[in-house]
Amino acid sequence: MMRRKNDNKRYFTRMGTRKKVHAFVRVKPTDDFAHEMIKYGDDNKSIDIHIKKDLQKGVVNNKQTDWSFKLDGVLHNASQDLVYETVAKDVVAQALDGYNGTIMCYGQTGAGKTYTMTGTTENYKHRGILPRALQQVFRMIEERPTHAITVRVSYLEIYNESLFDLLSTLPCVGPSVTPMTIVENPQGVFIKGLSVHLTSQEEDAFSLLFEGETNRIIASHTMNKNSSRSHCIFTIYVEAHSRTLSDEKYITSKINLVDLAGSERLKKSGSEGRVLKEATYINKSLSFLEQAIIALGDQKRDHIPFRQCKLTHALKDSLGGNCNMVLLTNIYGEASQLEETLSSLRFASRMKLVTTEPAINEKYDAERMVKNLEKELALLKQELAIHDSLANRTLVNYDPMDEIQIAEINSQVRRYLEGTLDEIDIINLRQIQEVFNQFRVVLSQQEQEVELTLRRKYTLIDKNDFAAISAVQKAGLMDVDGHLVGEPDGQGFGLGVTPFSAKPGKKAKSKKMFKEQLRPSTPPPKPVAFEDFKNERGSEINRIFKENKSILNERRKRASETTQRINAIKREMDVTKEALNFQKSLREKQGEYENKGLMIIDEEEFLLILKLKDLKKQYRTEYQDLRDLKAEIQYCQHLVDQCRHRLLMEFDIWYNESFFIPEDIQVSLKPGSSIRPGMVPISRIMSLGEDDQDKFSQLQQTELPEGPDSFSFYNAKVKTEQKHNYLKTMMGFQQAHRK
Ligand code: ADP
Ligand code: MG
């Protein structure tokens, strides 16, 4: 289980088994060994302490007389060689496999911590764990030709909570300006400012060790500090890369060899100055060390108090937890030291209960990873090519697209959106992704264009920018509800101030405001705007329209009257005809009179004949009138239709100009300038053919709303149409003149 939050980015490979902190005890050889008090177990893994009753007083202020301590090994009269074999060998060996390891010597001053850790520098045989560990590391490197392993070392001293670099005297280091600090990052903990030295061979490593040891001794004199009052941490950093190129994993590890400050309980009472300060720091740091190690062993604990002191903070990633950890407690064998010996053994047995879960520090070599991925990619491409040829697919290119290919996809997407391309063929995943990508590109371009157009027309105010809104409100451009003055609310027109078309007296002013300052975000409803248009720019067309309509109505009225008259004449004719027929039959019954071949009729019949003749004449005249009227009506109807069409078209243009076309474009469309969308002189309205008008209105509908880009096209088209219409009109006039 991983508990340390900072470890997210590190890679651990678990051994899967929990281990305990290994606790050993080394007894300093003495001629005065307290045989009757200190007894070792047969397996050399336990120590029993027995205090005689009469001795108890004054030695240990306790009623207890017997203690038994279970440990991982008791080193009694053990050689430096055996100590190394027992305590350090495995930890160092595992460091080369990626496990961090920490070996600490704990105990009262003079009990043999430094002897155990460093040994004597004069006698090779008596060298301690430090030089032996370095030797083992280099020996193991020689045994592993498959790996490129680098070794670095550093030597840190912590005295009274201050950090000292014991290798800072080396020429390559140079004087440090800023004090050292402990830094945590995802890779772990390191001491900023502490010199770390690459060592390619054993001898170099030894030189560094001796340099450090010498500095330790010198410092104790020059700085008046007791070396047994400081903690010393010698660190060996190992980094192992596989020599086979395919292996992108590599391992890193640290071996911390810690010579702790003397653990003896320094009496605070009576101590003063430097001694009191040292005592306080040592007592605190050793007790924090114990707390941290115990907390690490407690799986229920989330927070480990590493930062309480420099010692635990610097060792944060090397204490318990994921490391192999060994505690070697150095004790005296003499009766006089029994009190401190008991204290040290208690500490050791507590540490023995702490469990750890060692894990490999695995990291990934990015460069090698890239190389391996490139290789795999090439292989997969070959594989794809084989599949394509087996599936009878023409060679598909799976490489990243170049600019030309991307431009082609962009064009496809645009054509697809316009509707000129029905579908975009799927080629491969990369192409599909690029199609989507280009959709996004086109979309965002269109959004920008729309925004640009809006910004040309309107001053856009951020709805959340209350300062700007209140400024606009103050200027009277916006009502309290945040609506722009004159803004339609769907029902009427405008909310705060009188709508521009509602009050005839204020019309001109409000309209100006409406157009020039307050182009509303939503235009007024068309029926409302239309009324306004008819009174303003469309007034002339509207007048002509109305005139034509009244002429039409008058002609219709006349036609209807004529029809009524014709019907009356027809009825009278029918009556007259009937009366005439009656006279004729009467005459035939009475016998006819003939005179020189001429039929003699009576006066009554004669009058009827005259009347019928007159009626027929009237009928013909009226009928002719009606026919003329009908032709005129038809013509008038046509004019009225054209006028209406024209009116609506002009309105549409006006509506677009007023509410949709950006102002800068309108400048070129203003009266006086040659370009005027749809504004053919009024005199020519009548001559516009239906087809031209249709084209015009279509043109407006299709081209105008498209935005600025369409205007050069639109203007050119309008100019051409106007020229065409003008010529047509002139020809019409000439023809009419000739008639
Ligand atoms: P510490 O570092 O715990 O204060 P040292 O390692 O300095 O104690 O030991 C004090 C003295 O005892 C030194 O002179 C050291 O050589 C000697 N000494 C300690 N342990 C042994 C041992 N196991 N064999 C021989 N000499 C020892
Ligand atoms: Mg020492």
Side-chain angles (χ1 to χ4, degrees):
M1 194 185 72
M2 253 166 64
R3 290 192 297 134
R4 281 192 275 171
K5 291 186 181 97
N6 272 345
D7 289 341
N8 296 353
K9 296 217 172 120
R10 301 167 77 202
Y11 301 88
F12 291 113
T13 304
R14 302 279 155 196
M15 282 172 91
T17 48
R18 289 192 68 80
K19 273 186 167 180
K20 286 214 153 68
V21 169
H22 284 175
F24 296 96
V25 168
R26 187 182 197 184
V27 189
K28 186 182 171 184
T30 172
D31 297 335
D32 192 20
F33 187 75
H35 291 284
E36 66 286 4
M37 289 180 172
I38 305 168
K39 297 238 180 327
Y40 308 119
D42 291 338
D43 56 357
N44 266 340
K45 284 190 175 177
S46 61
I47 292 183
D48 293 332
I49 306 284
H50 172 75
I51 298 174
K52 281 182 189 164
K53 288 249 178 215
D54 52 332
L55 279 175
Q56 191 184 347
K57 202 176 158 205
V59 177
V60 182
N61 189 17
N62 200 317
K63 291 218 170 82
Q64 198 175 343
T65 55
D66 289 278
W67 292 265
S68 187
F69 299 96
K70 291 259 176 289
L71 302 146
D72 292 294
V74 178
L75 298 155
H76 172 59
N77 281 333
S79 66
Q80 292 283 65
D81 201 27
L82 180 66
V83 170
Y84 186 79
E85 290 284 319
T86 315
V87 170
K89 200 180 170 192
D90 286 352
V91 175
V92 173
Q94 289 207 356
L96 268 92
D97 292 329
Y99 297 95
N100 285 349
T102 300
I103 301 167
M104 284 198 266
C105 284
Y106 179 93
Q108 71 181 111
T109 299
K113 298 184 296 296
T114 305
Y115 180 79
T116 303
M117 203 45 93
T118 313
T120 55
T121 43
E122 305 84 35
N123 191 331
Y124 181 73
K125 205 182 158 202
H126 295 155
R127 70 198 187 283
I129 291 172
L130 267 174
R132 285 168 200 266
L134 288 167
Q135 280 175 311
Q136 189 189 342
V137 167
F138 283 106
R139 212 181 311 126
M140 285 182 78
I141 290 172
E142 274 171 27
E143 287 164 7
R144 293 188 189 190
T146 52
H147 285 76
I149 303 171
T150 55
V151 179
R152 289 179 173 82
V153 300
S154 68
Y155 209 169
L156 175 73
E157 186 178 30
I158 304 170
Y159 177 71
N160 287 358
E161 285 301 276
S162 295
L163 305 170
F164 298 91
D165 184 355
L166 288 173
L167 299 177
S168 65
T169 48
L170 287 164
C172 58
V173 179
S176 88
V177 192
T178 47
M180 285 187 277
T181 46
I182 301 167
V183 178
E184 288 180 49
N185 69 12
Q187 274 73 49
V189 177
F190 72 99
I191 288 110
K192 201 175 154 193
L194 178 67
S195 63
V196 180
H197 304 264
L198 183 72
T199 53
S200 51
Q201 52 190 347
E202 211 176 282
E203 202 188 308
D204 295 346
F206 285 164
S207 304
L208 292 166
L209 171 63
F210 296 149
E211 177 79 19
E213 290 304 321
T214 313
N215 284 335
R216 220 172 135 181
I217 294 156
I218 294 170
S220 68
H221 293 300
T222 54
M223 292 176 71
N224 192 24
K225 74 183 182 199
N226 188 336
S227 74
S228 69
R229 297 281 174 263
S230 67
H231 310 291
C232 289
I233 306 170
F234 188 87
T235 308
I236 307 170
Y237 307 82
V238 178
E239 192 174 307
H241 291 259
S242 167
R243 286 196 197 274
T244 58
L245 210 121
S246 61
D247 199 353
E248 62 224 19
K249 270 190 280 183
Y250 70 99
I251 53 140
T252 60
S253 60
K254 281 196 258 189
I255 308 165
N256 289 296
L257 302 166
V258 189
D259 185 351
L260 293 169
S263 63
E264 60 275 6
R265 293 250 126 207
L266 293 159
K267 306 281 179 303
K268 281 181 194 168
S269 54
S271 305
E272 52 183 27
R274 182 174 69 102
V275 180
L276 178 64
K277 199 176 168 190
E278 282 173 351
T280 313
Y281 283 129
I282 294 163
N283 290 346
K284 268 191 184 162
S285 65
L286 289 176
S287 124
F288 288 144
L289 175 69
E290 185 179 349
Q291 282 176 28
I293 294 170
I294 288 170
L296 278 164
D298 182 355
Q299 284 182 285
K300 282 171 241 142
R301 282 282 293 268
D302 246 356
H303 176 71
I304 315 293
F306 284 115
R307 289 161 179 245
Q308 283 174 321
C309 67
K310 295 280 193 302
L311 177 68
T312 51
H313 199 185
L315 291 173
K316 185 178 171 181
D317 56 4
S318 307
L319 283 179
N322 305 303
C323 318
N324 286 310
M325 207 178 140
V326 174
L327 181 83
L328 193 141
T329 305
N330 292 93
I331 57 165
Y332 279 97
E334 284 116 9
S336 58
Q337 302 296 328
L338 215 58
E339 191 180 359
E340 285 299 335
T341 298
L342 268 173
S343 161
S344 294
L345 288 171
R346 282 195 201 103
F347 180 81
S349 57
R350 283 198 296 272
M351 287 303 103
K352 192 189 173 294
L353 299 174
V354 174
T355 54
T356 63
E357 199 179 353
I360 297 174
N361 296 295
E362 241 171 19
K363 285 171 187 164
Y364 286 86
D365 186 328
E367 209 176 302
R368 279 196 196 185
M369 217 146 103
V370 168
K371 273 188 188 144
N372 288 342
L373 288 172
E374 274 173 353
K375 252 197 215 168
E376 205 173 313
L377 195 69
L379 204 76
L380 286 171
K381 275 186 183 170
Q382 284 173 8
E383 190 94 358
L384 261 176
I386 293 169
H387 277 277
D388 280 341
S389 67
L390 287 176
N392 273 335
R393 265 156 61 98
T394 43
L395 270 183
V396 180
N397 184 16
Y398 294 98
D399 291 333
M401 301 204 168
D402 58 27
E403 278 173 31
I404 297 165
Q405 287 167 315
I406 290 170
E408 170 55 25
I409 288 179
N410 182 286
S411 142
Q412 282 181 346
V413 167
R414 282 180 193 277
R415 279 180 283 149
Y416 180 80
L417 287 171
E418 279 164 14
T420 52
L421 185 70
D422 285 340
E423 48 190 43
I424 298 171
D425 288 333
I426 288 173
I427 297 166
N428 60 30
L429 199 63
R430 217 189 269 278
Q431 177 249 1
I432 294 169
Q433 283 171 341
E434 195 53 50
V435 167
F436 278 106
N437 214 13
Q438 291 308 316
F439 264 111
R440 190 194 278 153
V441 168
V442 171
L443 181 74
S444 83
Q445 280 172 355
Q446 287 183 350
E447 275 174 355
Q448 279 172 16
E449 278 164 18
V450 167
E451 198 189 319
L452 204 74
T453 313
L454 283 173
R455 285 195 183 282
R456 280 209 200 105
K457 271 196 290 182
Y458 308 111
T459 304
L460 300 180
I461 300 169
D462 183 353
K463 272 190 170 177
N464 299 317
D465 188 348
F466 298 111
I469 287 170
S470 77
V472 172
Q473 277 172 347
K474 257 186 208 156
L477 303 183
M478 189 187 271
D479 64 21
V480 283
D481 295 330
H483 296 275
L484 283 171
V485 173
E487 188 179 19
D489 61 356
Q491 290 293 314
F493 194 82
L495 279 171
V497 169
T498 323
F500 76 76
S501 58
K503 277 189 187 171
K506 283 190 174 177
K507 208 185 302 176
K509 195 190 165 196
S510 57
K511 190 157 55 205
K512 202 178 169 212
M513 268 182 70
F514 186 90
K515 276 196 71 187
E516 286 177 16
Q517 296 169 22
L518 289 168
R519 307 203 58 170
S521 55
T522 41
K526 277 200 171 180
V528 177
F530 188 57
E531 288 310 309
D532 193 65
F533 169 75
K534 283 195 287 186
N535 292 322
E536 197 221 3
R537 206 163 92 184
S539 62
E540 187 59 17
I541 314 166
N542 193 41
R543 189 185 61 74
I544 294 164
F545 170 68
K546 274 185 177 163
E547 236 173 70
N548 281 331
K549 222 162 105 178
S550 74
I551 292 168
L552 177 66
N553 286 339
E554 193 267 334
R555 295 291 187 277
R556 276 190 178 140
K557 204 176 145 206
R558 266 168 58 186
S560 140
E561 283 165 5
T562 309
T563 310
Q564 277 174 18
R565 276 201 304 279
I566 288 171
N567 287 339
I569 292 167
K570 186 81 172 58
R571 273 196 304 276
E572 215 179 329
M573 276 168 74
D574 288 345
V575 171
T576 310
K577 263 183 195 167
E578 222 169 280
L580 203 60
N581 283 340
F582 178 74
Q583 285 292 324
K584 202 178 165 187
S585 65
L586 198 72
R587 174 170 45 89
E588 279 164 0
K589 273 181 198 164
Q590 287 171 349
E592 292 176 339
Y593 296 90
E594 260 191 18
N595 185 15
K596 293 172 190 171
L598 287 173
M599 187 69 69
I600 307 287
I601 51 168
D602 63 8
E603 200 189 341
E604 202 170 342
E605 194 179 346
F606 180 69
L607 284 174
L608 279 172
I609 289 168
L610 279 182
K611 189 183 177 185
L612 190 61
K613 202 183 164 186
D614 189 44
L615 280 171
K616 274 185 181 171
K617 198 186 159 194
Q618 270 185 50
Y619 182 85
R620 267 197 302 275
T621 314
E622 292 285 1
Y623 195 80
Q624 186 64 44
D625 278 359
L626 186 63
R627 230 172 50 190
D628 291 349
L629 270 172
K630 275 188 174 166
E632 209 176 335
I633 284 167
Q634 215 176 1
Y635 181 74
C636 258
Q637 181 69 58
H638 197 68
L639 285 181
V640 167
D641 285 349
Q642 280 189 355
C643 274
R644 184 189 289 113
H645 199 118
R646 187 76 230 174
L647 189 67
L648 290 170
M649 191 184 79
E650 285 294 330
F651 165 69
D652 270 349
I653 293 167
W654 173 85
Y655 192 78
N656 279 331
E657 269 185 26
S658 303
F659 306 109
F660 295 108
I661 305 171
E663 252 139 47
D664 56 344
I665 285 162
Q666 282 194 44
V667 172
S668 66
L669 305 174
K670 280 259 148 49
S673 81
S674 58
I675 306 155
R676 195 99 183 94
M679 278 306 276
V680 180
I682 301 297
S683 59
R684 266 188 264 152
I685 290 170
M686 305 304 171
S687 67
L688 276 177
E690 194 71 47
D691 285 354
D692 296 325
Q693 297 220 359
D694 278 354
K695 264 189 249 162
F696 254 106
S697 49
Q698 270 170 23
L699 195 64
Q700 300 168 43
Q701 280 159 22
T702 55
E703 303 302 334
L704 264 175
E706 271 182 21
D709 287 353
S710 68
F711 274 89
S712 53
F713 171 81
Y714 173 74
N715 286 335
K717 198 148 184 171
V718 166
K719 272 184 184 170
T720 315
E721 298 263 345
Q722 283 183 339
K723 200 171 113 192
H724 180 74
N725 283 328
Y726 176 75
L727 291 171
K728 214 170 148 187
T729 311
M730 292 313 278
M731 269 163 73
F733 280 150
Q734 280 165 6
Q735 273 170 10
H737 219 67
R738 264 183 238 135
K739 277 182 189 170

